[in-house]
Amino acid sequence: MTQQTFRIGLLGRGTVGGAFADLLEQRAGHVAAVTGLRPRITGVLRRSEGDFDQILADSDLVVELIGGLDPARDYVQRAMAAGKHVVTANKQLLAEHGEELWATAREHGVQLRFEAAVGGVVPVVRVLQESLAGAHVERLHGIVNGTTNFILTRMADTGASYADALAEAQRLGYAEADPTDDVTGKDAAAKMAILARLAFDTPVSLAQVRYEGIEHLTADDLEYARELGLGLKLIGTAERVDGGLSVRVHPAFLYGAHPLASVNGPFNAVTIESEAITEITLSGPGAGGPQTASAVLGDVVSAMIPPASTHEPSERLELVDDVVSAFYLHVDVADQPGVLAQLAQVLGLQNISVKSFVQKGLGENARLVMVLHPVLESQLSGAVDLITGLEFVRGRPRAIRVIDEAF
């Protein structure tokens, strides 16, 4: 029996696009057996090849792997308005224009699939949209950027500086020549905006996600953290707070029992917490052409047998900025009598107590490293401002959040 062809228009044929084309050719027979339709690329658009209007006319589904906002946004909108399903790996596009695009998909009764936009091959989008659709999610924690996780792993394992670990990541292909979006936390923030939208059913844009990166971290931070039983990751968090929603990305220390503490190298992982399920963790490779291509193909198969599109938000939760966290605090001081007493007094004025501390060095090169009990971020910021002004303090203290929860 002759199988009907399912026509795919491919926008962009770089690393991921090329890997997708190869994978589709290899797995077309299996997809045909599953769906009854044989997928085939019928047109490719890149700078030196293809015409979008012709590709659109000749396709049942469009795969967008161009990246960026323009012209990707226009192409995706036009494809869905023409009644075509769309699969994309474009997290920036969804983080900034997701509600508009999902509304277009609903209006025209087509699929907009985007598993590959978050977490590489880790199927967190499908789990949130389908497997946990009935769960009342309380919190997500995620390592959703493989580049920064590789850098921090190398700094912890070898004592390398941030600059040296970044250079190694670039040599191995884990970091781009311009790694700005990765190391500043912007890439992770875009992914957390998407995950928060799915998990909490409320609109979240990239502009609403507070984020900071890893550029300021030092090998000393990781060395002292080991003595305190901590490991350092760039963590994305989305959680319910006092009836609102906090979404943020920042470096954070984890105790060894945390399920994300052992996720190393270029791997991604997400923990999902809900009273109904307690906690589950999904992990796997976070980047790479073949891995991302696998997620794209999975979305293509899903769109060939489409369930409902991403629904309209059912909630409008207020975004919360000031949240409670434990902190690691690194203070460079001159080793003089009364230093500890004055620091304790300043922290006490802000109602901050110390859980543990380590002192290193003598004389003008002394360092105090401590873990503080949970406190509002605004209180910690006020304490850091006061400590910075003390005569014996050499430079602004470094504060890094500590995720201090039992699992």
Side-chain angles (χ1 to χ4, degrees):
M1 184 176 69
T2 302
Q3 290 172 324
Q4 182 179 347
T5 297
F6 187 84
R7 303 167 303 162
I8 297 172
L10 177 59
L11 310 183
R13 192 161 178 168
T15 300
V16 176
F20 169 73
D22 292 342
L23 183 62
L24 183 68
E25 184 176 355
Q26 296 165 18
R27 301 296 291 167
H30 174 74
V31 173
V34 170
T35 66
L37 302 170
R38 190 171 191 87
R40 181 171 66 87
I41 292 175
T42 52
V44 176
L45 180 69
R46 46 186 170 182
R47 286 176 182 163
S48 59
E49 176 186 358
D51 174 77
F52 176 74
D53 290 322
Q54 187 62 49
I55 289 169
L56 192 58
D58 293 341
S59 66
D60 301 303
L61 178 147
V62 172
V63 174
E64 184 275 305
L65 299 175
I66 299 171
L69 298 181
D70 296 308
R73 178 185 179 189
D74 176 57
Y75 288 159
V76 169
Q77 286 280 32
R78 288 167 61 189
M80 293 190 295
K84 313 293 184 177
H85 303 306
V86 173
V87 172
T88 180
N90 193 332
K91 65 258 183 185
Q92 295 291 342
L93 180 64
L94 294 171
E96 298 203 29
H97 301 291
E99 296 305 326
E100 167 195 336
L101 297 173
W102 289 315
T104 300
R106 292 191 299 270
E107 178 185 353
H108 295 280
V110 296
Q111 287 294 293
L112 174 58
R113 286 276 177 172
F114 50 95
E115 184 70 72
V118 182
V121 76
V122 181
V124 62
V125 170
R126 188 169 283 108
V127 167
L128 287 172
Q129 284 190 310
E130 299 172 16
S131 304
L132 299 182
H136 184 76
V137 175
E138 293 292 338
R139 177 189 293 146
L140 296 176
H141 283 315
I143 297 172
V144 292
N145 183 274
T147 299
T148 52
N149 204 46
F150 175 85
I151 291 170
L152 293 176
T153 298
R154 296 304 290 164
M155 290 175 68
D157 289 349
T158 69
S161 68
Y162 163 76
D164 288 344
L166 170 59
E168 182 180 1
Q170 289 172 319
R171 285 197 303 272
L172 295 174
Y174 294 134
E176 301 288 345
D178 179 3
T180 303
D181 281 1
D182 292 321
V183 300
T184 61
K186 184 177 180 180
D187 175 87
K191 294 171 181 176
M192 290 307 301
I194 297 168
L195 291 182
R197 163 62 169 90
L198 299 178
F200 300 98
D201 207 19
T202 197
V204 180
S205 69
L206 175 59
Q208 294 173 299
V209 181
R210 295 170 57 224
Y211 64 89
E212 62 185 77
I214 65 169
E215 317 98 298
H216 64 289
L217 301 177
T218 71
D220 283 349
D221 291 325
L222 286 96
E223 178 186 346
Y224 300 147
R226 277 197 300 272
E227 297 186 33
L228 297 166
L230 300 167
L232 186 58
K233 306 291 182 184
L234 184 71
I235 298 292
T237 298
E239 62 180 341
R240 298 182 189 274
V241 178
D242 299 329
L245 178 64
S246 172
V247 188
R248 56 196 188 272
V249 171
H250 48 64
F253 286 111
L254 306 173
Y255 286 97
H258 194 283
L260 298 184
S262 60
V263 178
N264 294 317
F267 277 66
N268 281 190
V270 177
T271 64
I272 305 167
E273 298 175 44
S274 165
E275 186 176 345
I277 63 171
T278 308
E279 178 268 327
I280 63 173
T281 301
L282 306 167
S283 65
Q291 292 84 358
T292 306
S294 177
V296 171
L297 181 55
D299 273 347
V300 169
V301 174
S302 293
M304 292 169 75
I305 315 173
S309 187
T310 303
H311 59 269
E312 191 172 353
S314 63
E315 296 195 64
R316 298 277 173 175
L317 299 178
E318 181 182 351
L319 271 292
V320 178
D321 283 339
D322 197 13
V323 297
V324 172
S325 177
F327 281 89
Y328 157 103
L329 192 64
H330 178 125
V331 189
D332 291 324
V333 300
D335 190 9
Q336 301 171 359
V339 165
L340 275 176
Q342 290 187 61
L343 285 176
Q345 182 181 27
V346 170
L347 293 172
L349 289 171
Q350 297 293 318
N351 295 315
I352 300 171
S353 59
V354 177
K355 180 176 182 179
S356 56
F357 79 93
V358 174
Q359 180 172 351
K360 293 282 185 178
L362 298 171
E364 293 299 314
N365 294 313
R367 298 180 181 90
L368 292 175
V369 178
M370 61 196 79
V371 175
L372 309 177
H373 284 290
V375 63
L376 274 172
E377 293 186 358
S378 57
Q379 290 176 269
L380 188 280
S381 179
V384 169
D385 288 342
L386 291 173
I387 291 170
T388 302
L390 295 174
E391 182 180 353
F392 54 79
V393 172
R394 298 179 292 107
R396 187 174 179 83
R398 290 201 299 280
I400 301 172
R401 294 161 187 83
V402 176
I403 294 176
D404 187 15
E405 288 128 8
F407 284 82

PDB file of all heavy atoms in Angstrom, residues 134-151:
ATOM      1  N   GLY A 134      -2.870  17.661  35.198  1.00  0.00           N
ATOM      2  CA  GLY A 134      -3.813  17.738  36.304  1.00  0.00           C
ATOM      3  C   GLY A 134      -3.180  18.071  37.640  1.00  0.00           C
ATOM      4  O   GLY A 134      -3.887  18.204  38.644  1.00  0.00           O
ATOM      5  N   ALA A 135      -1.859  18.219  37.687  1.00  0.00           N
ATOM      6  CA  ALA A 135      -1.166  18.490  38.954  1.00  0.00           C
ATOM      7  C   ALA A 135      -1.131  19.989  39.243  1.00  0.00           C
ATOM      8  O   ALA A 135      -1.043  20.808  38.332  1.00  0.00           O
ATOM      9  CB  ALA A 135       0.263  17.939  38.903  1.00  0.00           C
ATOM     10  N   HIS A 136      -1.203  20.327  40.521  1.00  0.00           N
ATOM     11  CA  HIS A 136      -1.063  21.717  40.958  1.00  0.00           C
ATOM     12  C   HIS A 136       0.407  21.924  41.318  1.00  0.00           C
ATOM     13  O   HIS A 136       0.845  21.632  42.427  1.00  0.00           O
ATOM     14  CB  HIS A 136      -1.958  21.979  42.176  1.00  0.00           C
ATOM     15  CG  HIS A 136      -1.954  23.401  42.646  1.00  0.00           C
ATOM     16  ND1 HIS A 136      -2.633  24.404  42.000  1.00  0.00           N
ATOM     17  CD2 HIS A 136      -1.349  23.987  43.709  1.00  0.00           C
ATOM     18  CE1 HIS A 136      -2.469  25.537  42.645  1.00  0.00           C
ATOM     19  NE2 HIS A 136      -1.681  25.321  43.681  1.00  0.00           N
ATOM     20  N   VAL A 137       1.194  22.390  40.360  1.00  0.00           N
ATOM     21  CA  VAL A 137       2.636  22.507  40.561  1.00  0.00           C
ATOM     22  C   VAL A 137       2.924  23.645  41.539  1.00  0.00           C
ATOM     23  O   VAL A 137       2.360  24.738  41.432  1.00  0.00           O
ATOM     24  CB  VAL A 137       3.358  22.755  39.218  1.00  0.00           C
ATOM     25  CG1 VAL A 137       4.842  23.000  39.434  1.00  0.00           C
ATOM     26  CG2 VAL A 137       3.139  21.572  38.276  1.00  0.00           C
ATOM     27  N   GLU A 138       3.789  23.366  42.501  1.00  0.00           N
ATOM     28  CA  GLU A 138       4.190  24.369  43.482  1.00  0.00           C
ATOM     29  C   GLU A 138       5.512  25.035  43.120  1.00  0.00           C
ATOM     30  O   GLU A 138       5.707  26.216  43.364  1.00  0.00           O
ATOM     31  CB  GLU A 138       4.322  23.729  44.867  1.00  0.00           C
ATOM     32  CG  GLU A 138       3.001  23.262  45.457  1.00  0.00           C
ATOM     33  CD  GLU A 138       2.071  24.415  45.806  1.00  0.00           C
ATOM     34  OE1 GLU A 138       2.568  25.544  45.981  1.00  0.00           O
ATOM     35  OE2 GLU A 138       0.857  24.189  45.899  1.00  0.00           O
ATOM     36  N   ARG A 139       6.444  24.239  42.534  1.00  0.00           N
ATOM     37  CA  ARG A 139       7.779  24.797  42.290  1.00  0.00           C
ATOM     38  C   ARG A 139       8.502  24.001  41.212  1.00  0.00           C
ATOM     39  O   ARG A 139       8.351  22.784  41.097  1.00  0.00           O
ATOM     40  CB  ARG A 139       8.596  24.753  43.580  1.00  0.00           C
ATOM     41  CG  ARG A 139      10.052  25.249  43.407  1.00  0.00           C
ATOM     42  CD  ARG A 139      10.869  24.988  44.652  1.00  0.00           C
ATOM     43  NE  ARG A 139      10.414  25.781  45.782  1.00  0.00           N
ATOM     44  CZ  ARG A 139      10.447  25.356  47.049  1.00  0.00           C
ATOM     45  NH1 ARG A 139      10.879  24.163  47.334  1.00  0.00           N
ATOM     46  NH2 ARG A 139      10.024  26.147  48.021  1.00  0.00           N
ATOM     47  N   LEU A 140       9.282  24.722  40.425  1.00  0.00           N
ATOM     48  CA  LEU A 140      10.254  24.126  39.498  1.00  0.00           C
ATOM     49  C   LEU A 140      11.635  24.642  39.864  1.00  0.00           C
ATOM     50  O   LEU A 140      11.810  25.831  40.136  1.00  0.00           O
ATOM     51  CB  LEU A 140       9.985  24.553  38.056  1.00  0.00           C
ATOM     52  CG  LEU A 140       8.706  24.174  37.340  1.00  0.00           C
ATOM     53  CD1 LEU A 140       8.706  24.827  35.966  1.00  0.00           C
ATOM     54  CD2 LEU A 140       8.607  22.679  37.191  1.00  0.00           C
ATOM     55  N   HIS A 141      12.609  23.754  39.862  1.00  0.00           N
ATOM     56  CA  HIS A 141      14.010  24.151  39.851  1.00  0.00           C
ATOM     57  C   HIS A 141      14.625  23.545  38.594  1.00  0.00           C
ATOM     58  O   HIS A 141      14.346  22.381  38.267  1.00  0.00           O
ATOM     59  CB  HIS A 141      14.782  23.610  41.058  1.00  0.00           C
ATOM     60  CG  HIS A 141      14.545  24.343  42.338  1.00  0.00           C
ATOM     61  ND1 HIS A 141      14.537  25.717  42.423  1.00  0.00           N
ATOM     62  CD2 HIS A 141      14.333  23.889  43.601  1.00  0.00           C
ATOM     63  CE1 HIS A 141      14.324  26.081  43.678  1.00  0.00           C
ATOM     64  NE2 HIS A 141      14.188  24.995  44.407  1.00  0.00           N
ATOM     65  N   GLY A 142      15.465  24.293  37.897  1.00  0.00           N
ATOM     66  CA  GLY A 142      16.039  23.739  36.682  1.00  0.00           C
ATOM     67  C   GLY A 142      17.473  24.151  36.432  1.00  0.00           C
ATOM     68  O   GLY A 142      17.848  25.307  36.665  1.00  0.00           O
ATOM     69  N   ILE A 143      18.283  23.205  35.987  1.00  0.00           N
ATOM     70  CA  ILE A 143      19.557  23.494  35.324  1.00  0.00           C
ATOM     71  C   ILE A 143      19.237  23.405  33.843  1.00  0.00           C
ATOM     72  O   ILE A 143      19.105  22.314  33.297  1.00  0.00           O
ATOM     73  CB  ILE A 143      20.648  22.482  35.715  1.00  0.00           C
ATOM     74  CG1 ILE A 143      20.938  22.565  37.214  1.00  0.00           C
ATOM     75  CG2 ILE A 143      21.924  22.725  34.908  1.00  0.00           C
ATOM     76  CD1 ILE A 143      21.865  21.461  37.720  1.00  0.00           C
ATOM     77  N   VAL A 144      19.047  24.544  33.191  1.00  0.00           N
ATOM     78  CA  VAL A 144      18.519  24.548  31.829  1.00  0.00           C
ATOM     79  C   VAL A 144      19.492  25.167  30.831  1.00  0.00           C
ATOM     80  O   VAL A 144      19.108  25.477  29.703  1.00  0.00           O
ATOM     81  CB  VAL A 144      17.149  25.274  31.774  1.00  0.00           C
ATOM     82  CG1 VAL A 144      16.094  24.477  32.525  1.00  0.00           C
ATOM     83  CG2 VAL A 144      17.233  26.691  32.324  1.00  0.00           C
ATOM     84  N   ASN A 145      20.756  25.325  31.238  1.00  0.00           N
ATOM     85  CA  ASN A 145      21.777  25.816  30.316  1.00  0.00           C
ATOM     86  C   ASN A 145      23.025  24.948  30.457  1.00  0.00           C
ATOM     87  O   ASN A 145      23.697  24.994  31.491  1.00  0.00           O
ATOM     88  CB  ASN A 145      22.101  27.291  30.593  1.00  0.00           C
ATOM     89  CG  ASN A 145      23.114  27.838  29.594  1.00  0.00           C
ATOM     90  OD1 ASN A 145      24.311  27.713  29.792  1.00  0.00           O
ATOM     91  ND2 ASN A 145      22.625  28.424  28.514  1.00  0.00           N
ATOM     92  N   GLY A 146      23.298  24.138  29.443  1.00  0.00           N
ATOM     93  CA  GLY A 146      24.416  23.209  29.518  1.00  0.00           C
ATOM     94  C   GLY A 146      25.769  23.892  29.516  1.00  0.00           C
ATOM     95  O   GLY A 146      26.727  23.386  30.111  1.00  0.00           O
ATOM     96  N   THR A 147      25.881  25.054  28.868  1.00  0.00           N
ATOM     97  CA  THR A 147      27.156  25.766  28.809  1.00  0.00           C
ATOM     98  C   THR A 147      27.622  26.166  30.201  1.00  0.00           C
ATOM     99  O   THR A 147      28.759  25.889  30.599  1.00  0.00           O
ATOM    100  CB  THR A 147      27.027  27.022  27.935  1.00  0.00           C
ATOM    101  OG1 THR A 147      26.676  26.632  26.606  1.00  0.00           O
ATOM    102  CG2 THR A 147      28.322  27.805  27.899  1.00  0.00           C
ATOM    103  N   THR A 148      26.744  26.830  30.956  1.00  0.00           N
ATOM    104  CA  THR A 148      27.142  27.273  32.297  1.00  0.00           C
ATOM    105  C   THR A 148      27.353  26.096  33.240  1.00  0.00           C
ATOM    106  O   THR A 148      28.226  26.146  34.105  1.00  0.00           O
ATOM    107  CB  THR A 148      26.095  28.236  32.881  1.00  0.00           C
ATOM    108  OG1 THR A 148      24.802  27.630  32.799  1.00  0.00           O
ATOM    109  CG2 THR A 148      26.086  29.542  32.119  1.00  0.00           C
ATOM    110  N   ASN A 149      26.566  25.037  33.059  1.00  0.00           N
ATOM    111  CA  ASN A 149      26.761  23.878  33.938  1.00  0.00           C
ATOM    112  C   ASN A 149      28.114  23.228  33.683  1.00  0.00           C
ATOM    113  O   ASN A 149      28.796  22.782  34.616  1.00  0.00           O
ATOM    114  CB  ASN A 149      25.636  22.860  33.746  1.00  0.00           C
ATOM    115  CG  ASN A 149      25.460  21.995  34.971  1.00  0.00           C
ATOM    116  OD1 ASN A 149      25.432  22.481  36.106  1.00  0.00           O
ATOM    117  ND2 ASN A 149      25.348  20.695  34.768  1.00  0.00           N
ATOM    118  N   PHE A 150      28.541  23.194  32.414  1.00  0.00           N
ATOM    119  CA  PHE A 150      29.867  22.661  32.103  1.00  0.00           C
ATOM    120  C   PHE A 150      30.951  23.535  32.725  1.00  0.00           C
ATOM    121  O   PHE A 150      31.908  23.026  33.335  1.00  0.00           O
ATOM    122  CB  PHE A 150      30.067  22.591  30.588  1.00  0.00           C
ATOM    123  CG  PHE A 150      31.454  22.156  30.187  1.00  0.00           C
ATOM    124  CD1 PHE A 150      31.770  20.809  30.106  1.00  0.00           C
ATOM    125  CD2 PHE A 150      32.448  23.093  29.915  1.00  0.00           C
ATOM    126  CE1 PHE A 150      33.060  20.398  29.766  1.00  0.00           C
ATOM    127  CE2 PHE A 150      33.722  22.699  29.577  1.00  0.00           C
ATOM    128  CZ  PHE A 150      34.035  21.342  29.498  1.00  0.00           C
ATOM    129  N   ILE A 151      30.821  24.846  32.596  1.00  0.00           N
ATOM    130  CA  ILE A 151      31.837  25.763  33.137  1.00  0.00           C
ATOM    131  C   ILE A 151      31.962  25.600  34.645  1.00  0.00           C
ATOM    132  O   ILE A 151      33.075  25.479  35.187  1.00  0.00           O
ATOM    133  CB  ILE A 151      31.485  27.218  32.769  1.00  0.00           C
ATOM    134  CG1 ILE A 151      31.654  27.442  31.263  1.00  0.00           C
ATOM    135  CG2 ILE A 151      32.361  28.206  33.546  1.00  0.00           C
ATOM    136  CD1 ILE A 151      31.101  28.764  30.770  1.00  0.00           C
TER     137      ILE A 151
END
